[in-house]
Amino acid sequence: MQIGILGTGNVGETIGTALVRKGHRVKMGARNALNDIAASWVGMNGENASQGTFADAAEFGDLIFLCLNGEKAKDALMMAGPDTFAGKVVIDVTNPLDFSRGMPPVLVPSLSNTTSLGEQIQDYLPKAKVVKALNTVTAKLMVDATQVGGGDTALMICGNDAGAKEEVKKFLSEQFGWRDYLDLGDITASRNLEAYVPLWVRIWQATGTPMFNLKIVR
Amino acid sequence: MQIGILGTGNVGETIGTALVRKGHRVKMGARNALNDIAASWVGMNGENASQGTFADAAEFGDLIFLCLNGEKAKDALMMAGPDTFAGKVVIDVTNPLDFSRGMPPVLVPSLSNTTSLGEQIQDYLPKAKVVKALNTVTAKLMVDATQVGGGDTALMICGNDAGAKEEVKKFLSEQFGWRDYLDLGDITASRNLEAYVPLWVRIWQATGTPMFNLKIVR
């Protein structure tokens, strides 16, 4: 499959590397087509790895991962051009975290409580099918659900398009070993998935490890 | 033990009834000393149950539960008089939920993200030891942790006073069967525990039951 990844941070690199290893062709997109970090990543990942602009990555991907800095996500999507995403399934892994007040972070106030980055991204990309997923676990766990509890934890997702959510679940199950999903409804549930992340940081601080996930016990 | 409960809603009644049955003396406080709901509760719970004003309940309790409507909590505490709580351990079960926009609720905007009701309550009651606890589970589960997963889930708590948190943990273990706690730090973690509650409502909607709690799987 051809995968576009927007963003060159740890999350984008981790997902990109995992998917290249699974035999997919992955293009990492950045503001600059010659971005150094992307070039280094391409150098380490062989012929199935490539780089380009945000627009190049979005155009390349049959499936697109948004691994952008939350505060810069809108700019990146505007640079890529919203029409580039038309008809595509977009997995939104972003979180609008504000670290300017120290740890643990708060949400960017303008993207909290009554709205969310996930909702705004769906608004920026009206022709795309945005599915919020993976933003609630650490990068290493995103790409291998079996790392905690033998894979017996739930991944929270949401999005407006039921078919796109099924595609995402199938893909994440096959590629990354996720077995259990907690589908929280339409894209407005992004506000709840994103609001969980400052709590997630607190739990990391309390437990001493980011390698955990939630199990809903009934 | 003498317990003061501020608030006459489902949470206050459930906790009050459970504690009377355990042999404690419980006073339910309301705005009006003759509150009808409190009177009905007293009538059903025998001689160890009593009622009074918010001030009466706060004065009565060796331990105090705040089971107030989030938007009215400050008024109730001001009516009781902050000095009434001096030196006491106060378990804050409140949530600042705003249902005016429909379901699921959002947090009251002025009490979200960069602050919380728990923090403000500690500010209103500077001489009390406020411990945020039980606000993340449904009332029936608050008073009997064994109702889900045989009790093998974690209750999230926070507060500034380590000794008070130990007292609360001991009390909730002995009275309500809680065995595992996730201590998220000082009272500023209230913003994370409260932000979890709109997500909790989403999970309720997705699973069809409020009888669940989280297990942190590492």
Side-chain angles (χ1 to χ4, degrees):
Chain A
M1 203 170 185
Q2 293 199 170
I3 312 283
I5 292 184
L6 277 67
T8 60
N10 176 49
V11 169
E13 286 197 331
T14 303
I15 292 175
T17 300
L19 290 175
V20 166
R21 286 182 186 163
K22 297 274 184 183
H24 299 282
R25 297 176 62 208
V26 179
K27 190 180 289 289
M28 182 179 283
R31 185 172 294 265
N32 181 328
L34 303 174
N35 178 285
D36 285 347
I37 298 171
S40 168
W41 176 81
V42 168
M44 287 189 295
N45 282 278
E47 62 183 9
N48 278 339
S50 61
Q51 74 181 111
T53 61
F54 290 132
D56 294 335
E59 190 161 356
F60 181 83
D62 302 314
L63 176 66
I64 297 166
F65 286 83
L66 301 185
C67 306
L68 298 156
N69 175 303
E71 294 191 86
K72 297 177 185 165
K74 182 179 181 180
D75 283 351
L77 299 180
M78 294 300 120
M79 283 180 70
D83 284 343
T84 315
F85 300 84
K88 297 190 178 187
V89 174
V90 173
I91 301 181
D92 172 24
V93 194
T94 63
N95 281 309
L97 298 178
D98 174 0
F99 290 93
S100 69
R101 301 159 200 247
M103 285 289 282
V106 297
L107 296 173
V108 173
S110 64
L111 289 169
S112 73
N113 196 29
T114 56
T115 185
S116 63
L117 190 51
E119 286 164 88
Q120 295 206 353
I121 286 172
Q122 181 64 81
D123 284 345
Y124 302 150
L125 308 178
K127 298 174 187 163
K129 299 164 189 169
V130 177
V131 177
K132 190 97 197 177
L134 297 176
N135 71 305
T136 57
V137 295
T138 197
K140 191 174 165 190
L141 187 54
M142 290 178 192
V143 299
D144 183 1
T146 66
Q147 291 282 319
V148 299
D152 184 24
T153 68
L155 187 68
M156 296 190 282
I157 71 167
C158 69
N160 291 342
D161 189 287
K165 286 192 280 195
E166 287 309 310
E167 273 184 57
V168 169
K169 288 195 265 186
K170 184 164 182 289
F171 184 86
L172 297 181
S173 295
E174 289 173 357
Q175 305 302 322
F176 299 155
W178 288 97
R179 297 201 306 258
D180 191 17
Y181 298 89
L182 191 59
D183 181 349
L184 292 173
D186 67 23
I187 197 69
T188 65
S190 291
R191 61 185 75 164
N192 309 109
L193 271 61
E194 293 169 14
Y196 165 71
V197 176
L199 171 59
W200 179 88
V201 174
R202 289 268 187 185
I203 298 173
W204 175 359
Q205 292 177 320
T207 61
T209 176
M211 290 297 287
F212 67 85
N213 190 28
L214 303 180
K215 186 175 167 65
I216 309 299
V217 180
R218 300 184 218 181
Chain B
M1 204 171 183
Q2 294 198 169
I3 312 284
I5 292 184
L6 278 66
T8 60
N10 176 47
V11 170
E13 285 197 331
T14 303
I15 293 175
T17 300
L19 290 174
V20 166
R21 286 180 187 165
K22 297 275 184 182
H24 299 281
R25 296 176 62 208
V26 180
K27 189 180 290 288
M28 183 178 283
R31 186 172 293 265
N32 181 327
L34 303 175
N35 178 284
D36 284 347
I37 298 172
S40 166
W41 176 82
V42 169
M44 288 189 294
N45 282 278
E47 65 183 8
N48 278 340
S50 61
Q51 75 181 109
T53 62
F54 290 131
D56 293 336
E59 190 160 358
F60 181 81
D62 302 314
L63 176 66
I64 297 166
F65 286 82
L66 302 184
C67 304
L68 298 156
N69 176 302
E71 295 191 85
K72 297 178 184 164
K74 183 179 179 181
D75 283 352
L77 300 180
M78 294 299 121
M79 282 180 72
D83 284 344
T84 315
F85 300 84
K88 297 189 179 188
V89 174
V90 173
I91 301 181
D92 171 24
V93 193
T94 63
N95 281 308
L97 298 178
D98 174 1
F99 290 93
S100 69
R101 300 159 200 247
M103 285 289 280
V106 297
L107 295 173
V108 173
S110 64
L111 288 170
S112 74
N113 197 28
T114 57
T115 185
S116 63
L117 189 51
E119 287 164 87
Q120 293 206 353
I121 286 172
Q122 181 64 81
D123 284 345
Y124 302 150
L125 308 177
K127 297 174 188 163
K129 299 164 189 169
V130 177
V131 177
K132 190 99 197 177
L134 297 176
N135 71 304
T136 57
V137 296
T138 199
K140 190 174 165 191
L141 187 53
M142 291 179 191
V143 299
D144 183 1
T146 67
Q147 291 281 319
V148 298
D152 185 24
T153 68
L155 187 68
M156 296 191 281
I157 70 167
C158 69
N160 291 343
D161 191 286
K165 286 192 281 195
E166 287 309 310
E167 273 183 59
V168 168
K169 288 196 265 187
K170 184 165 184 286
F171 184 85
L172 298 181
S173 295
E174 290 173 357
Q175 306 302 322
F176 299 154
W178 288 96
R179 297 200 305 257
D180 191 17
Y181 298 89
L182 191 59
D183 181 348
L184 292 174
D186 67 22
I187 197 69
T188 64
S190 291
R191 61 186 75 165
N192 309 109
L193 271 62
E194 293 169 14
Y196 165 72
V197 177
L199 171 59
W200 179 89
V201 174
R202 288 267 187 185
I203 298 173
W204 175 358
Q205 291 177 321
T207 62
T209 176
M211 289 298 286
F212 67 86
N213 190 29
L214 302 181
K215 185 175 168 67
I216 308 301
V217 180
R218 298 186 220 180

